[in-house]
Amino acid sequence: MSADGQTLFSQIPSVDTLLRDTAFQPLLETYGAPLVTQCLRVLQQQARDAIQQSQSLPAWCDAWAQAAEAQLAQGQRDALRPVFNLTGTVLHTNLGRALLAEEAIDACAAAMRHAVTLEYDLDGAGRGHRDRAIADRLCELTGAEDACIVNNNAAAVLLMLAALATGKEVVVSRGELVEIGGSFRIPDVMRQAGCTLREVGTTNRTHLKDYRAALTEHTGLLMKVHTSNYAIQGFTAAVSEEELVALGREQGIPVITDLGSGSLVDMTQYGLPAEPMPQKLIAAGADLVSFSGDKLLGGPQAGIIVGKRHLIEKLQQHPLKRALRVGKMTLAALDATLRLYQQPAKLSAHLPALRHLTRAPQAIQVTAERLLPALIARYGERFDIRVEPCLSQIGSGSLPVDRLPGYALTLTPRNGRGGELESLAKAWRELPEPVIGRLSDGRLWLDLRCLDDEEGLLKELCQ
């Protein structure tokens, strides 16, 4: 190594020297000695690497305390960071799906601050069941005899199959063998639950006679799966829940339905496409119905199962239930969300997911026009910025072919280079509160359907 290199290495201060520097005292008080020491060792190595690669020290070596503070702040940043969801997908799986109502947030915070009656029966002063209070509310809303809550709908499907059909056959239409996000496939779940899949019908057409022909002494369940994330159109035929229930009762075989999303209210009253409702399937005689808590319901991530009491009891007693159960924060948030459904007149005002889904296109356009001048002032030299109509989507596999008309701000590079958009999108993802749009048709789209904080957005984009 050259003499110059040796000289540069000698300029790297020791950890002890740096820790004694008064500039590090605030960092030691904020982060503690172990984290600060670890950070300094990382910075030392970065300095050594720079010397070996470029025969020079990094510029930050003139201010070690500032460099350490920046790195420590980066390392201590929240793992789950708030972002502006301007993607045009309301229930965005990668961005956390439904935003919770303030009532649910308050209930969750209270459950974190206090001891709660999670599994405590105030009447008998003994141990109760953690699903009980919420189950009673679900029964009131759906007409079911009982209910069970697990950590998501995939878990709900797994528990139903494992508890009721291990070692048996489960009959499902070929047109309903769905795959959802993360390669979750109905056939795979059946294998994990110890069931044997019995496919009937064809991809586009299944008849009641197909189910009947598949029944044997080994049949454990008849299953319907709502095709929530795709649609089969054209020459099609499917068996209704009512028809399948009648066959199940005739043969003494339970009928279960996986709704995926599901909605506790008639979405058409809000001008949205119809979505299957658990209470209608319960009224039709389905033995068990499962659906998600964090999609159209607008609550926390949860898998909800409603149906016949004797079957719910089997689910509650199965060993998997303990592994799949939810904690007190989820139960508190879910209970508060369900209470909103008991006051349907207030639902769209209090439930963020429903508010975003029903936001009028004209109101979104007005928001876009308000934001436009500030964005032109900040980015107008590089981009042509306009207010344009767009189509949002519900997301999370809900109503996949339906779109919601709205408006977006679009940015098109004046130099025609797509790399400009990529750079801008990347820069916005690196903001203190990242702004997430979508790139399409040579433009960066900021779909404003889910925007609730105009001032905060302008602060991030125009500071």
Side-chain angles (χ1 to χ4, degrees):
M1 182 179 294
S2 67
D4 289 341
Q6 289 285 7
T7 301
L8 290 172
F9 275 112
S10 68
Q11 294 178 29
I12 300 175
S14 69
V15 170
D16 288 341
T17 299
L18 290 168
L19 291 176
R20 289 194 297 268
D21 189 329
T22 56
F24 277 85
Q25 292 311 303
L27 297 184
L28 290 169
E29 292 175 6
T30 301
Y31 298 103
L35 273 180
V36 176
T37 300
Q38 180 183 8
C39 174
L40 290 176
R41 286 172 179 158
V42 170
L43 291 174
Q44 284 181 327
Q45 188 58 51
Q46 291 177 3
R48 296 186 192 103
D49 292 342
I51 294 171
Q52 292 177 339
Q53 293 168 11
S54 61
Q55 294 298 300
S56 64
L57 285 167
W60 53 257
C61 282
D62 293 332
W64 280 80
Q66 292 180 18
E69 183 176 16
Q71 185 149 320
L72 286 164
Q74 177 76 12
Q76 292 299 296
R77 193 164 58 186
D78 291 340
L80 299 180
R81 298 171 57 195
V83 304
F84 286 95
N85 174 17
L86 306 184
T87 64
T89 300
V90 178
L91 302 173
H92 198 303
T93 296
N94 296 346
L95 299 180
R97 291 184 177 164
L99 302 184
L100 296 186
E102 289 300 320
E103 292 86 346
I105 295 169
D106 291 343
C108 188
M112 288 188 283
R113 289 194 182 99
H114 306 287
V116 296
T117 55
L118 178 64
E119 293 184 357
Y120 189 85
D121 181 0
L122 290 172
D123 293 331
R127 183 167 184 169
H129 198 286
R130 65 174 56 197
D131 292 354
R132 187 66 267 148
I134 292 103
D136 290 342
R137 206 177 303 281
L138 282 164
C139 291
E140 179 182 336
L141 289 166
T142 65
E145 295 177 4
D146 204 352
C148 174
I149 298 135
V150 290
N151 55 26
N152 59 24
N153 190 54
V157 174
L158 176 64
L159 181 59
M160 289 190 296
L161 294 171
L164 304 179
T166 296
K168 299 179 181 179
E169 294 181 350
V170 179
V171 183
V172 186
S173 167
R174 282 191 175 88
E176 299 174 3
L177 297 178
V178 303
E179 175 182 324
I180 62 174
S183 298
F184 174 90
R185 295 179 172 183
I186 290 295
D188 296 339
V189 177
M190 287 200 183
R191 279 193 291 272
Q192 291 297 320
C195 306
T196 300
L197 169 64
R198 185 70 182 271
E199 304 176 31
V200 297
T202 62
T203 302
N204 61 318
R205 292 178 69 81
T206 302
H207 306 279
L208 188 62
K209 63 183 181 181
D210 297 319
Y211 287 94
R212 186 181 293 277
L215 301 181
T216 71
E217 67 273 16
H218 304 297
T219 304
L221 290 172
L222 298 174
M223 184 176 184
K224 287 282 292 181
V225 181
H226 177 49
T227 55
S228 59
N229 61 354
Y230 69 97
I232 301 175
Q233 298 177 333
F235 187 58
T236 64
V239 175
S240 69
E241 276 79 6
E242 290 86 351
E243 293 175 290
L244 203 58
V245 164
L247 177 61
R249 286 178 177 171
E250 174 192 316
Q251 301 294 325
I253 301 171
V255 176
I256 67 172
T257 300
D258 167 19
L259 282 185
S261 183
S263 174
L264 287 177
V265 293
D266 181 0
M267 303 301 284
T268 62
Q269 68 180 298
Y270 300 103
L272 296 168
E275 180 76 2
M277 299 171 63
Q279 52 266 54
K280 289 189 176 181
L281 298 183
I282 292 297
D287 294 287
L288 292 177
V289 180
S290 74
F291 54 101
S292 294
D294 57 342
K295 295 181 182 178
L296 289 176
L297 185 70
Q301 177 180 298
I304 300 167
I305 308 169
V306 295
K308 297 290 193 297
R309 183 175 292 106
H310 72 283
L311 296 180
I312 295 291
E313 288 176 357
K314 289 185 177 181
L315 305 187
Q316 297 286 13
Q317 294 167 6
H318 194 275
L320 266 180
K321 175 55 166 62
R322 184 174 180 84
L324 301 175
R325 69 183 183 178
V326 298
K328 64 178 183 178
M329 284 85 79
T330 298
L331 290 170
L334 180 58
D335 184 43
T337 303
L338 293 173
R339 289 202 302 273
L340 295 176
Y341 280 87
Q342 294 175 315
Q343 305 175 61
K346 300 179 180 180
L347 198 57
S348 60
H350 288 256
L351 206 61
L354 189 56
R355 185 174 69 247
H356 292 157
L357 290 172
T358 58
R359 184 166 281 172
Q362 295 78 8
I364 302 173
Q365 183 180 15
V366 170
T367 299
E369 298 288 356
R370 279 198 301 265
L371 295 171
L372 182 61
L375 265 68
I376 290 177
R378 175 67 175 81
Y379 300 97
E381 290 185 7
R382 296 167 54 202
F383 299 94
D384 177 29
I385 307 173
R386 302 183 183 183
V387 175
E388 295 193 57
C390 65
L391 294 174
S392 310
Q393 61 182 359
I394 295 172
S396 292
S398 303
L399 304 165
V401 299
D402 297 288
R403 294 294 182 267
L404 307 172
Y407 283 86
L409 290 163
T410 65
L411 293 89
T412 306
R414 294 191 181 279
N415 61 14
R417 297 174 184 170
E420 288 281 313
L421 287 179
E422 297 284 356
S423 297
L424 183 63
K426 182 175 185 295
W428 285 356
R429 292 195 301 270
E430 294 172 350
L431 291 169
E433 186 166 352
V435 176
I436 315 294
R438 73 173 186 271
L439 294 170
S440 177
D441 300 325
R443 286 167 286 181
L444 178 54
W445 296 72
L446 300 181
D447 186 317
L448 303 179
R449 175 168 291 278
C450 295
L451 178 63
D452 290 324
D453 183 6
E454 295 180 41
E455 184 179 342
L457 178 65
L458 289 178
K459 180 181 178 181
E460 292 295 334
L461 294 185
C462 301
Q463 60 186 351

